[in-house]
Amino acid sequence: MKKIILLSLILSAYNIFAQDHFTGVTTSSRVGILNVGMNPAELPNLSKKFEINIFGLSLNFSNNVIGLDDLNSDTNIEDLLFKGDQIVNAGADVEYAGPGIAMKWKKWGFGISSKGHIKFDVVDVDPKFGNAILNTDDITESGTDFIKNDYNQRMNGVSWGEIALSAGRTVFENEKHRFNAGISLKLLFPGSYSNIGIDKFQGNVTTFFDANNPSNSSAFLTTTVPVNVNFSYSGNLANRFTDVNDYTSSVFGNLNGIGTEIGVNYQLKDGDKKYKINAGMSIRNIGSLTFTDSNNSSNSYSLNIPVSNPLNLDEFDGTESLIEVESLLQSKGYLSSEKSNKDFKTRLPTLFSIYGDFKVFHKFNITGYLQQRMGDNNENRQITAQNSFSIIPRINLGYFEAYIPFSHNEISGGNTGFGLRLGGFYMGSSSVISTLTSNTKKVDFNMGFRWAFL
């Protein structure tokens, strides 16, 4: 079970992997394909007639318990993660912006872009429950802990690819104002999926410490009320999901989903090609992925572990897949089947975004950006998203641009970063200054290159 939860994978990725991808670049006045990914209504605002995206990569990680300084200690990661009484949330997230092209023509803008996504999230895990599952080798005393969690504790991993066809049009324009509207149609390619959800768990963890031979110490789990449990898996993640290769090798599966994005944009103009205010709002990632792999399974159970037949947690040692965990619990008679599906759908992480870029004085702007999820992270069929807010002062000298994001993420709290752009090349982070100056709980990095002309 120590591997099935995959927390070790997340935390080993701490130095590279939050969810606010390409912070600062997507709201730059140098409008390109990345801006369109945030709001398709930006297409008519392209800085050049054509832009080709070569590549872009954004790697993020955030959590609400472990700070970067904590990882310099000799304490085991599992001990750090579950050392307190705080419900644990964490997310590792990778987005790759692949080849794409955009163009504007008269009042129109058109684009085609590609992306790949890899995500793993821990949602609302009770620290006593996590400690019992992961740290059975570190028992130091006998006793019983009562656990009552009012949430659906989830461990969720997913990978998918997408190709977006986008169009935007200026619907009104005069000397001072411009209004745009845009839409994107996404072709979705589900890769792999895994989910375990343990809803509103109530039960006891009883430990027995053997002072004469500590290696013989053990822990047992029982439930006080039946608990709803979901096991879902597809693709490479059905057999194992503790290896990063299981995610990266299956980002693009077969076409099996449709998504849409809509947005509007307003500019208070400052001449023909510049603005005093550029504001917009959009709803992104409307749609779902359908998983139909031969390894597919989505099973819901009622979990009941009586006091007369407690679950020895040591039995999970060495398990690497949800199939193994599911089979073990079935063989012990703890699971009563309630619902089973071969193929299943998962909802995309739908987001409402609103932003405004304000020209303060010549070459200096301040951007505000708000992102609000529209789904429930506790739902087993929901790919997770995080709420965030950013204030980004920036200097734009044309070929060169620099910006300092001040952001707040609902999981990791406040962070400060830095980014720059040289022509079509960009590189930045929304947390690098915090990483150097404070015990931040978020680490992220992005870079890429695009070419604009005419």
Side-chain angles (χ1 to χ4, degrees):
M1 193 62 159
K2 295 177 181 180
K3 293 184 178 180
I4 190 62
I5 296 183
L6 226 189
L7 294 175
S8 58
L9 173 63
I10 288 183
L11 295 166
S12 67
Y14 191 95
N15 289 311
I16 59 170
F17 288 102
Q19 182 133 15
D20 312 326
H21 289 293
F22 303 106
T23 300
V25 184
T26 56
T27 51
S28 170
S29 59
R30 193 279 194 197
V31 178
I33 291 178
L34 289 178
N35 304 64
V36 175
M38 182 189 63
N39 184 356
E42 289 282 358
L43 266 169
N45 299 333
L46 287 172
S47 297
K48 300 286 186 178
K49 288 186 178 180
F50 296 92
E51 178 174 279
I52 298 175
N53 191 70
I54 309 301
F55 80 96
L57 183 65
S58 180
L59 312 169
N60 301 308
F61 174 79
S62 62
N63 82 109
N64 66 332
V65 177
I66 300 177
L68 190 62
D69 292 346
D70 298 326
L71 297 181
N72 296 326
S73 69
D74 295 329
T75 308
N76 291 331
I77 288 176
E78 293 90 345
D79 294 335
L80 291 172
L81 194 64
F82 300 111
K83 64 183 178 180
D85 298 324
Q86 189 174 4
I87 296 295
V88 177
N89 285 277
D93 196 351
V94 182
E95 183 175 304
Y96 175 74
I101 186 170
M103 62 169 289
K104 62 180 180 180
W105 176 71
K106 296 183 178 181
K107 294 185 177 182
W108 286 90
F110 303 95
I112 179 171
S113 58
S114 61
K115 287 183 180 180
H117 303 266
I118 299 173
K119 285 175 56 62
F120 183 83
D121 294 279
V122 174
V123 181
D124 292 332
V125 174
D126 188 285
K128 292 181 180 178
F129 185 83
N131 189 63
I133 300 298
L134 291 177
N135 296 328
T136 55
D137 294 335
D138 301 322
I139 296 171
T140 57
E141 61 182 10
S142 299
T144 298
D145 284 323
F146 175 68
I147 299 173
K148 183 179 184 298
N149 189 305
D150 294 328
Y151 306 100
N152 183 24
Q153 301 178 81
R154 296 181 65 202
M155 282 69 78
N156 179 265
V158 62
S159 64
W160 81 95
E162 62 183 48
I163 295 176
L165 308 174
S166 305
R169 177 179 168 82
T170 299
V171 295
F172 173 81
E173 183 175 14
N174 60 22
E175 292 182 356
K176 293 186 176 180
H177 307 283
R178 174 190 288 173
F179 291 90
N180 299 336
I183 186 170
S184 291
L185 173 67
K186 288 187 174 184
L187 307 178
L188 305 175
F189 301 83
S192 294
Y193 186 80
S194 63
N195 182 79
I196 179 171
I198 306 170
D199 192 24
K200 297 179 176 62
F201 180 87
Q202 291 189 43
N204 293 298
V205 175
T206 303
T207 57
F208 297 96
F209 176 64
D210 188 340
N212 296 321
N213 189 357
S215 63
N216 287 334
S217 300
S218 55
F220 296 86
L221 184 69
T222 59
T223 58
T224 55
V225 297
V227 179
N228 293 324
V229 178
N230 173 262
F231 291 96
S232 299
Y233 37 84
S234 178
N236 289 358
L237 301 185
N239 298 317
R240 184 182 63 176
F241 67 119
T242 60
D243 191 335
V244 173
N245 290 332
D246 293 328
Y247 291 82
T248 58
S249 63
S250 60
V251 174
F252 271 84
N254 296 320
L255 174 61
N256 219 334
I258 298 293
T260 57
E261 299 184 340
I262 56 174
V264 293
N265 170 257
Y266 164 75
Q267 286 189 352
L268 177 61
K269 298 169 64 175
D270 185 19
D272 185 33
K273 296 184 179 181
K274 297 181 179 181
Y275 59 78
K276 295 180 180 178
I277 298 174
N278 182 59
M281 60 181 179
S282 62
I283 300 177
R284 295 180 285 150
N285 292 329
I286 306 168
S288 61
L289 305 166
T290 300
F291 289 89
T292 60
D293 191 85
S294 59
N295 284 332
N296 263 28
S297 182
S298 178
N299 300 316
S300 296
Y301 300 95
S302 177
L303 173 68
N304 185 26
I305 308 173
V307 176
S308 59
N309 183 26
L311 170 62
N312 187 340
L313 296 176
D314 287 335
E315 297 190 49
F316 287 119
D317 285 348
T319 56
E320 293 187 343
S321 72
L322 288 179
I323 294 176
E324 292 177 312
V325 175
E326 186 179 21
S327 297
L328 190 151
L329 294 174
Q330 284 178 319
S331 68
K332 297 291 184 179
Y334 298 138
L335 297 179
S336 300
S337 182
E338 293 186 344
K339 186 177 181 181
S340 179
N341 295 296
K342 178 65 176 175
D343 298 334
F344 56 89
K345 290 184 178 181
T346 62
R347 291 183 291 275
L348 291 176
T350 306
L351 297 168
F352 171 76
S353 301
I354 186 169
Y355 61 92
D357 186 39
F358 304 89
K359 180 179 179 180
V360 180
F361 54 83
H362 187 60
K363 306 297 184 181
F364 179 73
N365 286 33
I366 292 181
T367 304
Y369 173 78
L370 173 68
Q371 172 180 291
Q372 177 69 41
R373 68 169 177 271
M374 301 181 70
D376 183 357
N377 283 350
N378 286 125
E379 292 289 335
N380 287 313
R381 291 290 167 269
Q382 178 67 58
I383 300 174
T384 65
Q386 298 174 15
N387 300 326
S388 65
F389 176 74
S390 301
I391 297 291
I392 311 170
R394 67 178 75 238
I395 294 176
N396 191 339
L397 304 179
Y399 187 80
F400 173 79
E401 182 177 3
Y403 45 90
I404 301 177
F406 298 91
S407 62
H408 187 277
N409 179 284
E410 68 172 317
I411 289 180
S412 60
N415 287 279
T416 304
F418 176 77
L420 58 85
R421 176 183 61 80
L422 291 171
F425 173 79
Y426 58 89
M427 179 173 63
S429 166
S430 63
S431 62
V432 62
I433 294 178
S434 297
T435 301
L436 298 173
T437 61
S438 66
N439 191 24
T440 180
K441 296 181 176 65
K442 172 181 177 179
V443 176
D444 72 296
F445 174 77
N446 67 78
M447 66 178 298
F449 180 75
R450 61 264 175 91
W451 177 44
F453 55 97
L454 295 184

